[in-house]
Structure formats: structure tokens, C-alpha cells
Amino acid sequence: MKLVVVSAGLSVPSSTRLLGDRLAAAAVRTAAEPVEVEVVELRDLAVEIAHNFTGGFPGRQLAAAIDAVTSADGLIVVTPVFSASYSGLFKSFFDVIEKDALAGLPVLIAATGGTARHSLVLEHALRPLFAHLRAVVVPTGVYAASEDWGAQGLNGRIERAAGELVGLMQGLSGVRAVADDLAVVPFAEQLAALNSPSGV
């Protein structure tokens, strides 16, 4: 299987790239068959993306990146948050891809930001974008704020999202198996715990 990571991080090193690498590593660990991982760094394609808009044709590196993305079995997309949404470079890359080229492709959405207040970018910006492109977006998106690195919870979200992506890449049976492993606490039990004197 071929997995492509699209990273829109601008700095080197980049927390956006780091999150993409961790998601890809989790997917490789989860998969029942070998996974070939390719990373597309959008910062290296910025000039060719701009030229594509003005000239109408992709340059050599941009064409290779588009081919990699459209021929993938699964996609991990990671963007830093700018002005409460995905970056302009991130959006521009997906604007130059043919409208139906991602139809049916499993996609894991992820983002990084300085504060947890921007975590809804996954739901109000990234998920609608890939729904419009007719991709199949996994249920769990991963947002990492500055304080999340090394904190409890991020690893669990990474593993769960990667498992869902691999499940879609391998077929619906894999998705059901991942869902069965998730512990769901009934709402009545949660309310009872809140009302108990000890709070547990």
C-alpha cells in the first residue's frame, strides 16, 4: 500500500511535519501489510504552485507531487493554522489538483497550532474541503497545540486516527475492527459519576 503525507509546514524543523511523520509511523505499525510512505513538503513547491496558477501547467516537482497524491492508497494531510483556518499554501496545492482526482481516497486530516482554541479548524475547514473533493475522511482528526507535545492524549489520538485510516485503506472490515476496540462509556454512567460525592 502507498501512503502519502502532505505537510504544509513552513519552518525547519516543523511541528507540522513532525505530526505527519508520527501519524505515518503509527499507520505503518498498524497495517497488516507493508506500507510505502512518501512525504510531500509543500514549502518546496510554493513557487511552482504559484506558477501553475499563472501559467496553467505544473512544473516537474509539482507534477510529481500531484501524481504521488492522486495515485496513493491513503493520504495524511497536515497544515499549520493561519487566521483560524488552513494555510494558503495548503489550499493552493489542493486547488491545482483535478476536481475528482481524490474521489474515494481515504484521508486523515490533521493540523498544528499555538493554542487549543483553534482545534475546530479540523471540522469547520479541513473536513468540508475534503468532503467537497469527495475524499473519504476518517472519523478522527488530530490537532496538536503547542502544549500537546509530550502531553497525555496526543499519542492515543494519533494511534486511533492512524488505525482508522489503515482500516479504510485495507477495507471496511478493518474500520469495524478498529471501532470495536474503542471503549465507549454510556452517558448515564458518566452522569452518575458526576453526581457521586467522590466524582468517580
Side-chain angles (χ1 to χ4, degrees), residues 29-194:
R29 287 193 302 272
T30 304
E33 57 186 277
V35 177
E36 173 195 346
V37 178
E38 181 175 346
V39 178
V40 173
E41 285 274 15
L42 297 187
R43 64 185 299 276
D44 299 331
L45 302 172
V47 172
E48 288 196 20
I49 291 171
H51 286 169
N52 188 91
F53 281 115
T54 57
F57 297 97
R60 183 178 53 82
Q61 285 184 294
L62 178 58
I66 292 171
D67 287 344
V69 167
T70 56
S71 64
D73 297 304
L75 195 60
I76 295 171
V77 298
V78 195
T79 179
V81 175
F82 289 120
S83 302
S85 189
Y86 38 64
S87 72
L89 180 60
F90 181 86
K91 178 64 162 58
S92 295
F93 175 71
F94 287 100
D95 281 345
V96 301
I97 294 177
E98 290 292 326
K99 184 181 68 145
D100 295 325
L102 302 184
L105 179 65
V107 176
L108 191 168
I109 56 173
T112 58
T115 172
R117 289 186 302 237
H118 291 304
S119 61
L120 285 177
V121 69
L122 297 172
E123 305 305 325
H124 76 70
L126 285 166
R127 198 175 296 277
L129 171 63
F130 288 95
H132 172 74
L133 296 173
R134 296 172 50 215
V136 180
V137 184
V138 303
T140 302
V142 180
Y143 178 83
S146 298
E147 65 265 25
D148 288 329
W149 297 102
Q152 188 176 8
L154 180 59
N155 284 342
R157 296 198 308 273
I158 286 172
E159 294 293 332
R160 181 169 61 186
E164 292 169 355
L165 177 64
V166 169
L168 282 174
M169 291 169 68
Q170 294 177 160
L172 289 177
S173 60
V175 173
R176 292 193 186 103
V178 169
D180 290 343
D181 289 339
L182 300 178
V184 178
V185 179
F187 185 63
E189 284 184 32
Q190 294 181 32
L191 280 178
L194 288 174

